[in-house]
């Protein structure tokens, strides 16, 4: 199957591209590199022995997206002129016209705290960009999408574990609202036009890295997520871990989350590709178990053999106490379930950070 992956150079995108290639699919990668590194895809090419045609473009640029999907000339960014160029690292691997069977859509801004400070940027990029992408897909006759959604659409859950049937509509931050808006757009589109097939994958908390240590999570600036922050403390890039709130109604006072290995998450997209029913379906991708911040820190210390200094900081806007999945539907309908435990997640995260103390080195 020939698949377009948006946000392909990012953390989850690069791991999914690798899994797609190893499963025999053909992939074309699109990313504007605003919060990712081209190096991730070079390493994917090295690990798989396959080329990944790459286009640096922004999903908000409908003409650029249409050009990628059809192989026609177009612009390479929202303000750029000229044709969409092939990647110099993949010389000869130009994007052939048409033939795409699906789009896996990762591209978007994703920091919960930042979204509370910059809501317009999140709505304009995530929602506006998805609308532009959908228009380009429709014009190109490509109407199968797997969307990177989030457990944040559930807001502060009334009960855990959270099934797909749990109430949505009250996310605690603009990031979550942007994901929920996109879900609604995709539901409406699939209801209006039966030619569309949409998978909504609600992620819980991706962590870890490819076991090779060659690709992993490399946030720009101060990490917004727990495990990359712990990792950077362990290699000396940060002095101490900031724990945002130790007064939640949880066993040790810290937030509880469903951490899922990024490789398991990536494989969930392959499972969704194999689900051929049309219209729109939702699946949680999580382990079904929650761990507190302090439990995650202890697991990382075990994996790394290092003590992680901790400082308690005030709660962040938009954070909630407890969130973990009921992944039964994905197991029963997709034949998918998470295989890695917390120790493996932290071992692989540490392996990546040890090998790459400065990430991809393009900060």
């Amino acid at each position: 199957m020939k698949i377009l992956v948006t946000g392909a150079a990012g953390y989850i995108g690069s791991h999914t591209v690798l899994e797609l290639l190893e499963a025999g699919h053909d992939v074309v990668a699109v990313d504007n590199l605003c919060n990712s590194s081209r190096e991730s895809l070079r390493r994917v090419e090295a690990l798989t022995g396959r080329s990944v045609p790459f286009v640096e473009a922004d999903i908000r640029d409908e003409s650029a997206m249409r050009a990628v999907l059809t192989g026609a000339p177009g612009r390479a960014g929202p303000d750029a002129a000229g044709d969409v160029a092939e990647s110099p690292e993949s010389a000869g691997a130009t994007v052939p016209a048409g033939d795409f069977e699906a789009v896996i859509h990762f591209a978007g801004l994703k920091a919960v705290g930042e979204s509370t400070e910059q809501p317009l940027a999140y709505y304009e990029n995530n929602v506006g960009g998805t609308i532009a992408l959908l228009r380009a897909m429709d014009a190109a006759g490509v109407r199968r999408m797997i969307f990177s959604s989030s457990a944040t659409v559930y807001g502060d859950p009334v009960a855990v574990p959270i099934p797909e049937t749990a109430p949505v509509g009250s996310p605690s931050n603009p990031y979550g609202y942007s994901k929920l808006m996109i879900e609604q757009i995709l539901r409406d589109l699939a209801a209006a036009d039966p030619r569309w097939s949409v998978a909504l994958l609600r992620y819980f908390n991706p962590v870890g890295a490819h076991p090779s240590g060659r690709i992993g999570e490399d946030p720009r600036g101060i990490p917004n997520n727990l495990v990359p922050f712990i990792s950077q403390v362990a290699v000396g890039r940060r002095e101490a871990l900031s724990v945002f709130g130790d007064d939640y109604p949880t066993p040790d006072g810290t937030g509880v989350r469903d951490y899922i290995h990024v490789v398991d998450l990536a494989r969930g997209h392959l499972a969704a590709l194999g689900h051929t029913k049309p219209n729109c379906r939702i699946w949680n991708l999580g382990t079904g178990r929650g761990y507190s911040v302090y439990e995650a820190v202890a697991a990382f210390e075990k994996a790394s053999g290092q003590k992680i200094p901790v400082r308690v900081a005030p709660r962040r806007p938009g954070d909630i106490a407890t969130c973990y999945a009921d992944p039964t539907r994905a197991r029963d309908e997709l034949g998918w379930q998470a295989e890695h435990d917390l120790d493996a997640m932290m071992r692989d995260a540490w392996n990546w950070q040890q090998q790459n103390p400065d990430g991809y080195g393009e900060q």
Side-chain angles (χ1 to χ4, degrees), residues 287-313:
T287 67
R289 176 171 178 179
Y291 292 94
S292 74
V293 171
Y294 286 151
E295 286 178 308
V297 170
F300 192 93
E301 289 179 335
K302 176 183 174 183
S304 65
Q306 299 198 41
K307 183 68 177 175
I308 304 298
V310 170
R311 297 172 183 164
V312 177

Side-chain angles (χ1 to χ4, degrees), residues 311-332:
R311 297 172 183 164
V312 177
R315 295 185 186 187
R316 295 181 299 187
D319 279 349
I320 60 175
T322 303
C323 181
Y324 58 94
D326 178 352
T328 304
R329 181 186 288 182
R331 183 197 66 200
D332 292 348

Side-chain angles (χ1 to χ4, degrees), residues 24 66 87 141 182 208 307 360:
R66 192 177 300 195
S87 161
I182 295 166
K307 183 68 177 175
Y360 291 115

Side-chain angles (χ1 to χ4, degrees), residues 28-32 53-57 64-65 68 76 84-87 95:
V28 174
V30 168
D31 204 299
N32 69 0
F54 175 77
V55 180
E56 184 175 348
M65 293 299 97
V68 173
V84 175
E86 66 182 63
S87 161
V95 181

Side-chain angles (χ1 to χ4, degrees), residues 59-352:
I59 59 166
R60 293 171 291 180
D61 185 345
E62 185 178 336
S63 69
M65 293 299 97
R66 192 177 300 195
V68 173
L69 287 161
T70 63
R75 296 183 298 143
D79 301 308
D83 292 349
V84 175
E86 66 182 63
S87 161
E89 292 83 3
S90 298
T94 53
V95 181
D99 300 329
F100 285 98
E101 295 181 60
V103 173
I104 300 181
H105 180 29
F106 296 107
L109 301 176
K110 64 175 186 175
V112 166
E114 184 184 64
S115 77
T116 66
E117 299 166 358
Q118 302 177 38
L120 290 181
Y122 273 69
Y123 293 128
E124 191 262 344
N125 188 91
N126 295 2
V127 181
T130 300
I131 291 171
L133 174 62
L134 290 169
R135 285 175 174 158
M137 289 174 63
D138 194 50
V142 183
R143 299 184 180 90
R144 186 175 186 188
M145 172 178 275
I146 296 174
F147 174 57
S148 168
S149 192
S150 167
T152 56
V153 302
Y154 295 116
D156 196 348
V158 296
V160 289
I162 308 169
E164 290 86 350
T165 53
V168 297
S170 299
S172 58
N173 53 75
Y175 165 73
Y177 270 110
S178 76
K179 292 293 188 181
L180 186 60
M181 288 177 184
I182 295 166
E183 283 197 7
Q184 189 61 53
I185 290 166
L186 290 167
R187 278 201 209 77
D188 291 342
L189 182 58
D193 186 344
R195 294 176 298 175
W196 281 86
S197 176
V198 176
L200 305 176
L201 302 184
R202 291 175 177 166
Y203 306 166
F204 281 69
N205 289 72
V207 297
H210 191 266
S212 68
R214 296 291 292 151
I215 58 173
E217 188 170 9
D218 183 26
R220 297 194 176 181
I222 299 173
N224 290 295
N225 297 327
L226 175 64
V227 175
F229 206 120
I230 298 174
S231 301
Q232 290 189 10
V233 171
V235 294
R237 288 175 63 180
R238 310 282 170 194
E239 288 186 7
L241 170 69
S242 294
V243 174
F244 296 103
D246 65 350
D247 57 350
Y248 286 103
T250 61
D252 63 19
T254 64
V256 171
R257 297 291 183 269
D258 187 339
Y259 297 103
I260 176 173
H261 198 294
V262 67
V263 171
D264 285 330
L265 186 66
R267 290 173 180 167
H269 296 76
L270 273 71
L273 274 177
H275 192 271
T276 57
K277 291 183 180 179
N279 214 271
C280 186
R281 190 68 168 155
I282 301 165
W283 291 284
N284 286 335
L285 296 184
T287 67
R289 176 171 178 179
Y291 292 94
S292 74
V293 171
Y294 286 151
E295 286 178 308
V297 170
F300 192 93
E301 289 179 335
K302 176 183 174 183
S304 65
Q306 299 198 41
K307 183 68 177 175
I308 304 298
V310 170
R311 297 172 183 164
V312 177
R315 295 185 186 187
R316 295 181 299 187
D319 279 349
I320 60 175
T322 303
C323 181
Y324 58 94
D326 178 352
T328 304
R329 181 186 288 182
R331 183 197 66 200
D332 292 348
E333 296 183 357
L334 301 180
W336 172 92
Q337 61 184 2
E339 298 177 358
H340 296 79
D341 63 14
L342 187 65
D343 286 342
M345 299 177 210
M346 298 306 171
R347 181 192 65 233
D348 289 342
W350 175 234
N351 183 39
W352 149 257

